[in-house]
């Protein structure tokens, strides 16, 4: 049995006390979604198939846009410097005309060409790991890139990004005006790192696991325990012990018998045992369905098989 005295709370031992902890530390591990992507990330492509496609966040889009703008201004300044160096060979009208051409090329033609040839990528988007795609997930084409560049010359360069920032903040996918007109958005291409493997059952609790009963553990509490175990490494040592102790106190009434171990090992054992038994149950159900599948699919004697 797990004994819990007043001083044991600071050592992270499991307690059999049935009172519930409602402090702010435990609240941060309230019920969260188990899936990594929500429904808003479901992209319906042309074949009516939903795929997980994450749109770039406003912060990432802003960072990529700043890189593109700085690169554009650097090239414009370089071209203007070259034009000023050759100013003695040109009159004022020719210089003004070339300046207009440089602005039009760098702010409209160049972005259109780069996004079209790179299939929606630019220097800033390569840096943040994103690319521009159509709303249905297909690749961006010339007309989409041209509309985006034409609108960008106004909402980005003429207003110093003010209109683009307001539109991005108000859009669920951080779209700017050019994206709304062209029917595009910025899609993340870099996949997140795979989640770490689940924690195994502690070796010193293997004997306890053979007789333990964790079926009564509420699903909500089980999700909170799993969430804590995923983020335990990011907590300070004191907070980690405190949260583990509070969660173990909540789980104690639903676990029998209680092992004599520290709070975090208790939570790891409960989560691992519950996971392994649920997996075994699902595999057993699958095996039973496979055994009866021939009988379910069989036709009555003499009944013709059609199609």
């Amino acid at each position: 049995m797990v004994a819990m005295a007043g001083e044991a709370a600071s050592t992270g031992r499991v307690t059999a006390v049935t009172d519930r902890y409602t402090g702010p530390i435990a609240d941060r591990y309230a019920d969260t979604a188990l899936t990594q992507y929500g429904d808003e990330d479901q992209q319906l492509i042309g074949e009516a198939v939903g795929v997980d496609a994450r749109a770039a966040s406003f912060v990432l889009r802003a960072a990529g846009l700043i890189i593109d703008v700085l690169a554009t201004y650097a090239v414009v300044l370089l071209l203007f410097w070259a034009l000023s160096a050759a100013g003695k060979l040109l009159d004022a009208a020719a210089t003004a005309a070339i300046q207009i051409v440089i602005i039009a090329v760098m702010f409209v033609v160049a972005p259109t060409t780069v996004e079209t040839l790179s299939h929606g990528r630019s220097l800033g988007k390569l840096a943040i790991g994103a690319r521009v795609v159509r709303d249905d997930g297909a690749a961006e084409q010339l007309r989409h890139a041209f509309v985006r560049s034409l609108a960008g010359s106004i909402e980005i360069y003429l207003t110093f990004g003010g209109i683009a920032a307001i539109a991005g903040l108000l859009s669920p996918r951080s779209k700017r005006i050019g994206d709304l007109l062209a029917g595009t958005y910025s899609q993340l291409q870099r996949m997140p790192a795979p989640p770490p493997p689940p924690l195994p059952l502690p070796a010193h609790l293997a004997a306890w696991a053979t007789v333990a009963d964790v079926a009564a553990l509420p699903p909500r509490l089980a999700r909170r325990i799993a969430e804590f175990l995923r983020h335990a490494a990011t907590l300070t040592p004191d907070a980690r012990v405190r949260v583990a102790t509070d969660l173990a106190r909540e789980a104690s009434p639903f676990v029998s018998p209680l092992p004599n171990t520290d709070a975090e090992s208790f939570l790891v054992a409960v989560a691992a045992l519950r996971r392994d038994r649920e997996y075994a149950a699902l595999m057993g159900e699958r095996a039973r369905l496979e055994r009866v599948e021939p009988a379910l699919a069989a036709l009555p004697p003499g009944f013709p098989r059609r199609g």
Side-chain angles (χ1 to χ4, degrees):
M1 294 292 292
V2 179
M4 190 71 185
E7 66 277 3
S10 61
T11 63
R13 306 294 292 182
V14 181
T15 178
V17 181
T18 59
D19 56 315
R20 303 304 176 88
Y21 179 77
T22 57
I25 298 178
D27 289 342
R28 65 181 294 187
Y29 295 102
D31 186 20
T32 56
L34 294 180
T35 55
Q36 188 172 6
Y37 308 123
D39 291 337
E40 66 275 6
D41 295 315
Q42 286 291 326
Q43 174 67 57
L44 190 65
I45 62 176
E47 290 76 12
V49 177
V51 297
D52 287 327
R54 293 190 303 157
S57 65
F58 176 80
V59 175
L60 285 178
R61 292 211 62 178
L65 183 60
I66 290 174
I67 294 174
D68 288 337
V69 169
L70 291 178
T72 301
Y73 276 130
V75 176
V76 169
L77 292 177
L78 182 62
L79 293 176
F80 276 6
W81 175 81
L83 181 62
S84 64
K88 297 180 181 180
L89 304 177
L90 302 172
D91 56 15
T95 300
I98 294 176
Q99 289 177 347
I100 294 174
V101 171
I102 290 176
I103 293 175
V105 169
M106 292 306 304
F107 292 161
V108 179
V109 178
T112 301
T113 304
V114 169
E115 287 195 3
T116 302
L117 296 180
S118 63
H119 302 288
R121 294 180 176 89
S122 63
L123 183 62
K125 293 177 180 61
L126 286 174
I128 66 173
R131 76 183 183 105
V132 177
V133 298
R134 288 167 15 195
D135 286 337
D136 60 358
E140 180 188 29
Q141 298 181 0
L142 175 63
R143 63 180 184 274
H144 306 100
F146 177 73
V147 171
R148 281 173 41 81
S149 300
L150 192 62
S153 63
I154 299 174
E155 63 174 330
I156 296 175
Y157 295 103
L158 293 185
T159 64
F160 300 98
I163 296 178
I166 294 174
L169 287 172
L170 297 178
S171 172
R173 289 185 171 179
S174 302
K175 290 186 175 186
R176 59 181 179 87
I177 300 299
D179 291 312
L180 296 175
L181 295 176
T184 59
Y185 75 100
S186 185
Q187 182 185 96
L188 283 180
Q189 298 294 295
R190 292 176 184 168
M191 300 304 296
L199 297 174
L201 181 74
H204 66 282
L205 295 178
W208 165 83
T210 60
V211 296
D213 181 12
V214 296
L217 190 69
R220 181 183 177 90
L221 179 57
R223 290 193 293 268
R224 291 176 57 198
I225 293 174
E227 190 72 14
F228 162 73
L229 295 177
R230 280 194 294 268
H231 297 87
T234 64
L235 300 178
T236 61
D238 291 341
R240 184 170 180 171
V241 170
R242 192 181 313 116
V243 177
T245 302
D246 293 325
L247 288 175
R249 182 184 297 116
E250 291 189 49
S252 295
F254 307 103
V255 178
S256 178
L258 293 175
N260 186 17
T261 186
D262 62 278
E264 188 166 340
S265 296
F266 171 72
L267 297 178
V268 171
V270 169
L273 185 58
R274 181 182 175 89
R275 179 188 67 239
D276 294 344
R277 289 182 177 176
E278 288 182 350
Y279 177 79
L282 290 174
M283 291 299 99
E285 181 181 359
R286 178 178 179 180
R288 290 191 296 271
L289 290 176
E290 290 177 351
R291 286 196 301 267
V292 301
E293 176 65 22
L296 296 176
L299 295 176
F303 193 87
R305 183 178 296 272
R306 306 183 185 277

